[in-house]
Amino acid sequence: MPKKTGWMVMTLSATLALGACGQAEQKTDSHANHETHATHTSADQLEQTTSPAIAPAFLKETDSSIQTIYLSVAKHQDLLEKMPCYCGCGESAGHTSNYDCFIADQTADGKTTWTTHGITCGTCLDIAAQSIVAYQQGTSVKKIRSDIDASYAKTGAKPTPTPAL
């Protein structure tokens, strides 16, 4: 395994522990009421940077693994736009994929509008980290999507309306 990929896998694997905590908490309530996500729409903050390689200032107060996920999401737009999110943000925030949990908009000239939604949700972070790590290990997009759906279908949560592959 190349040194750079190994570092990313280790960093994102640490994040999986954070995501697992969020997931366990959500499974306790059958992930049905999503009370904490009802506030996301009004509570999410947006920040624009001139490039997807420039992290938003709101990440400075977060764990480095969260910063790594955010910057990795910006590099994997095509992948994460194909991954659903199972936190309830499709209904509460109008998201259509896991990508929307981190980036609200990206223009052709690189301006990136980041959202704080992802930093507040272990499910969002976990899905992004799992998807990116699996993709970097050579797993097909279709298999990653299948694994995410199989994992989160057990929660009973409604996924974002991400188009079928």
Side-chain angles (χ1 to χ4, degrees), residues 36-108:
T36 59
H37 293 286
T39 60
H40 277 297
T41 305
S42 62
D44 289 346
Q45 296 175 14
L46 301 176
E47 182 180 333
Q48 189 177 71
T49 60
T50 57
S51 163
I54 300 171
F58 63 73
L59 288 179
K60 288 180 183 166
E61 301 298 320
T62 65
D63 184 85
S64 64
S65 60
I66 293 174
Q67 295 171 25
T68 299
I69 290 175
Y70 262 80
L71 292 172
S72 295
V73 165
K75 295 176 185 174
H76 293 90
Q77 178 177 358
D78 188 52
L79 168 68
L80 294 174
E81 283 182 335
K82 293 178 176 128
M83 296 302 135
C85 189
Y86 280 84
C87 78
C89 62
E91 294 174 333
S92 67
H95 292 175
T96 60
S97 69
N98 183 248
Y99 180 79
D100 293 343
C101 300
F102 303 91
I103 297 178
D105 188 43
Q106 195 167 20
T107 63

Side-chain angles (χ1 to χ4, degrees), residues 1-12 133 136-137:
M1 177 181 300
K3 190 174 188 175
K4 184 177 179 183
T5 302
W7 173 84
M8 179 66 94
V9 169
M10 286 188 331
T11 301
L12 292 178
V133 169
Q136 290 178 333
Q137 292 174 339

